[in-house]
Amino acid sequence: MEHKLKIYNTLNRKKELFVPNNSPYVGLYVCGPTVYGDAHLGHARPAITFDTLFRYLNHLGYKVRYVRNITDVGHLEHDADDGEDKIAKKARLEKLEPMEIVQYYLTRYHKAMEKLNVLPPSIEPHASGHIIEQIEFVKKILDSGYAYESEGSVYFDVEKYNKKYNYGKLSGRNIDELLETTRDLDGQSEKRRSVDFALWKKAAPEHIMHWPSPWSEGFPGWHLECSAMGTKYLGEEFDIHGGGMDLMFPHHECEIAQSTAALGKETVHYWMHNNMITINGQKMGKSLGNFITLDEFFQGSHKLLEQPYSAMTIRFFILQAHYRSTVDFSNDALKASEKGYIRLMEGYNRLLKLKPADKTTVEVAGLRERCEEAMLDDLNTPIVISNLFDATKGINTVYDGKGTISAEDLEELKSVFKLFVEDILGLLREENGGSANDAYKKAIDLLLEIRQESKAKKDWDTADKIRKQLAEYGFEIKDGKNGSEWTL
Ligand code: ZN
């Protein structure tokens, strides 16, 4: 594969040339949602970041097996090993089966992802469907001596593991400090150390989700599913593991420890983490009242929102920042993104209406290379977008009759826009901020075409009638050198 894709590997803290383990196949694993509530802005960012990576790897010619898991068991309230299972709790409160909760929110998650034009992954495994694999994984860790059984539960022995390997290598946490501050546990807990984490938990009598195992009737620890399912579908060594930065510790750190203890080697070659979204400078959180779901964004129904924002505006907003920078949400920032998105799409729509001339007076050369270079440099989507905006200026010049473009350059420009706007950035060509669907747009275009033909035949009555009626329905028609444009 002839390319120089560089990605920032969180594990080594530097940009590295991407060399796949088993070219032309690429294994990509991304931690998916715990489905006990509606998807929010924090879910949109990893989904869009790794969707863009998935699309770009496909563009480079790789065959990508993209695994994004669904956590439907074992994710306890206090990310470690304490508290109630998040899904079981929701089920108890709603008086439903846990799997009813999972089905309900998963369907809604898929709908939100479809609106954001996030492609479905190749495999979407559920933790609850892989209990056997997880039990086998615990057995391997016990066999290698890095786990211990205690009162029907099994815990990972972090201190012992750290003597041979480096626990904390991904997140940069200092394990000695962690151990130092946790000496006081002796004899008071099933765990030897509070840094130890559960691989298998014995279920309390009131716990609804449990399975038989050699140790107890219980359930797997949250971190285990990703080790078990990642290696099941992508092999003992695979290319890229992604997720939000909030998952780096303890989730991904524990995943590395589990896989290394069970298999005696590093499983993941490149770790990629997207940065977080803050809301008006604050972390998102249910207790802070700034927890806005995607549906609330689409409908404008949260008290912090001044208006609804379309799915494409959200996608554009996220892609306008590099995935490793923080993004701060505010109404002003999203309104600016909405304007930017509409401006880009207006340029794209005008491009499709341009008529070729003998020569080109605007800049077309080098655009494809500049966009490609930006993507190869650790997926620099904001640079791609700014290059496309520069090209839009040229398109508008030609559209306004102040410049010309040759047939060859016109084809090139159309092809670059199709590739980067639609295929790689995944932005759908929609007018009016994304509310019009394709058939409806075609119908309006057809009416405007009939109006043009009527004018050519000097049938002013028909031409006038179409314009007047459309205006009455709320459409604004602008006539230009290259035909008519409409907005609602
Ligand atoms: Zn995970």
Side-chain angles (χ1 to χ4, degrees):
M1 213 76 40
E2 284 283 330
H3 70 73
K4 284 194 175 124
L5 172 61
K6 281 188 175 167
I7 53 183
Y8 184 88
N9 190 348
T10 318
L11 194 61
N12 304 328
R13 288 169 184 76
K14 58 182 178 218
K15 273 188 211 169
E16 294 182 331
L17 188 67
F18 176 64
V19 183
N21 185 39
N22 184 22
S23 185
Y25 298 93
V26 168
L28 170 62
Y29 188 96
V30 175
C31 293
T34 303
V35 279
Y36 71 105
D38 271 334
H40 52 78
L41 204 53
H43 287 107
R45 195 164 192 203
I48 290 169
T49 299
F50 294 103
D51 179 56
T52 308
L53 174 67
F54 180 39
R55 288 165 177 271
Y56 193 61
L57 289 168
N58 278 314
H59 159 70
L60 290 178
Y62 293 113
K63 291 179 172 65
V64 187
R65 183 179 290 169
Y66 178 13
V67 180
R68 190 182 65 205
N69 68 304
I70 296 296
T71 299
D72 57 0
V73 64
H75 196 165
L76 305 188
E77 281 183 296
H78 313 294
D79 275 359
D81 311 326
D82 296 322
E84 209 174 336
D85 181 294
K86 291 185 180 190
I87 288 157
K89 181 181 179 182
K90 186 85 179 170
R92 179 172 59 78
L93 294 173
E94 306 270 332
K95 296 192 170 55
L96 291 169
E97 267 293 311
M99 284 305 134
E100 282 183 286
I101 298 290
V102 170
Q103 190 69 53
Y104 177 78
Y105 286 111
L106 187 55
T107 305
R108 292 172 68 84
Y109 177 76
H110 284 154
K111 271 192 191 145
M113 291 304 118
E114 205 181 307
K115 281 186 186 155
L116 292 169
N117 201 23
V118 167
L119 299 172
S122 330
I123 306 176
E124 197 172 50
H126 289 226
S128 67
H130 295 76
I131 300 294
I132 293 168
E133 287 85 348
Q134 295 183 73
I135 290 173
E136 289 306 310
F137 217 91
V138 177
K139 283 186 192 165
K140 280 187 195 159
I141 301 173
L142 278 167
D143 286 348
S144 69
Y146 292 108
Y148 56 90
E149 196 187 335
S150 173
E151 321 228 358
S153 293
V154 181
Y155 293 97
F156 193 91
D157 189 338
V158 170
E159 191 176 22
K160 184 172 178 193
Y161 172 83
N162 191 55
K163 284 194 178 124
K164 180 159 181 197
Y165 305 101
N166 176 4
Y167 183 83
K169 66 194 287 187
L170 180 70
S171 58
R173 303 263 171 140
N174 184 335
I175 180 66
D176 293 327
E177 260 171 38
L178 281 174
L179 288 170
E180 197 64 38
T181 53
T182 54
R183 282 268 152 83
D184 55 335
L185 267 186
D186 297 332
Q188 292 175 28
S189 162
E190 290 176 4
K191 291 201 266 185
R192 290 179 192 161
R193 299 282 195 174
S194 71
V195 283
D196 293 350
F197 56 91
L199 298 171
W200 188 264
K201 284 279 271 188
K202 182 182 175 179
E206 68 275 13
H207 198 101
I208 4 183
M209 290 190 281
H210 49 80
W211 291 264
S213 80
W215 315 288
S216 64
E217 186 73 19
F219 56 93
W222 171 40
H223 315 305
L224 190 62
E225 63 181 272
C226 292
S227 284
M229 300 192 295
T231 51
K232 177 182 166 97
Y233 293 111
L234 300 174
E236 290 191 355
E237 280 182 58
F238 64 87
D239 298 299
I240 305 171
H241 192 313
M245 227 161 78
D246 54 333
L247 294 179
M248 215 190 287
F249 191 89
H251 187 55
H252 291 158
E253 200 71 73
C254 294
E255 231 187 286
I256 292 179
Q258 289 166 164
S259 299
T260 309
L263 307 166
K265 59 181 171 187
E266 269 308 320
T267 294
V268 176
H269 291 189
Y270 303 86
W271 282 90
M272 288 176 81
H273 292 94
N274 64 272
N275 213 321
M276 309 317 291
I277 291 185
T278 53
I279 294 193
N280 297 318
Q282 272 189 313
K283 230 186 121 173
M284 265 192 299
K286 278 199 169 133
S287 54
L288 296 168
N290 64 2
F291 205 77
I292 312 176
T293 70
L294 290 172
D295 279 341
E296 286 169 333
F297 272 103
F298 302 156
Q299 288 152 19
S301 58
H302 190 281
K303 65 178 183 344
L304 286 175
L305 300 176
E306 289 167 13
Q307 61 165 78
Y309 298 99
S310 77
M312 282 303 112
T313 298
I314 304 271
R315 187 168 179 119
F316 189 76
F317 169 69
I318 287 171
L319 292 172
Q320 266 186 310
H322 188 261
Y323 75 91
R324 283 192 288 114
S325 354
T326 51
V327 165
D328 189 48
F329 157 83
S330 66
N331 280 287
D332 288 347
L334 262 187
K335 280 182 202 162
S337 287
E338 184 179 52
K339 266 193 195 146
Y341 164 70
I342 289 173
R343 192 153 57 89
L344 182 66
M345 288 302 152
E346 191 181 67
Y348 191 6
N349 283 321
R350 286 177 172 179
L351 169 65
L352 298 177
K353 289 177 184 159
L354 296 186
K355 305 268 187 302
D358 292 341
K359 62 179 173 59
T360 303
T361 62
V362 292
E363 194 157 326
V364 175
L367 176 67
R368 182 186 293 274
E369 291 74 16
R370 286 195 297 276
C371 290
E372 196 83 59
E373 243 169 64
M375 284 304 290
L376 288 171
D377 183 19
D378 195 29
L379 310 182
N380 205 332
T381 54
I383 299 288
V384 175
I385 291 173
S386 93
N387 276 299
L388 292 169
F389 271 133
D390 285 346
T392 305
K393 284 178 203 150
I395 292 168
N396 288 337
T397 308
V398 178
Y399 188 83
D400 293 338
K402 291 171 188 144
T404 56
I405 189 164
S406 72
E408 199 188 330
D409 283 342
L410 185 56
E411 281 320 300
E412 168 65 4
L413 209 50
K414 282 182 188 171
S415 149
V416 170
F417 266 70
K418 164 87 173 61
L419 176 63
F420 285 95
V421 177
E422 289 187 33
D423 300 348
I424 293 173
L425 297 182
L427 295 167
L428 294 173
R429 199 159 55 80
E430 288 176 333
E431 274 150 291
N432 311 322
S435 57
N437 70 37
D438 232 32
Y440 153 73
K441 283 189 287 183
K442 280 181 189 155
I444 307 292
D445 285 341
L446 177 67
L447 278 171
L448 291 179
E449 218 178 286
I450 295 171
R451 177 165 163 266
Q452 283 304 26
E453 287 164 9
S454 310
K455 276 177 27 185
K457 283 186 271 178
K458 300 199 184 336
D459 175 4
W460 308 114
D461 285 351
T462 307
D464 265 6
K465 184 179 173 186
I466 291 172
R467 189 186 54 79
K468 274 188 189 150
Q469 278 306 128
L470 283 176
E472 219 168 273
Y473 301 149
F475 292 95
E476 195 189 322
I477 314 292
K478 269 188 272 175
D479 292 321
K481 280 203 162 72
N482 289 282
S484 307
E485 268 188 296
W486 58 269
T487 48
L488 188 59

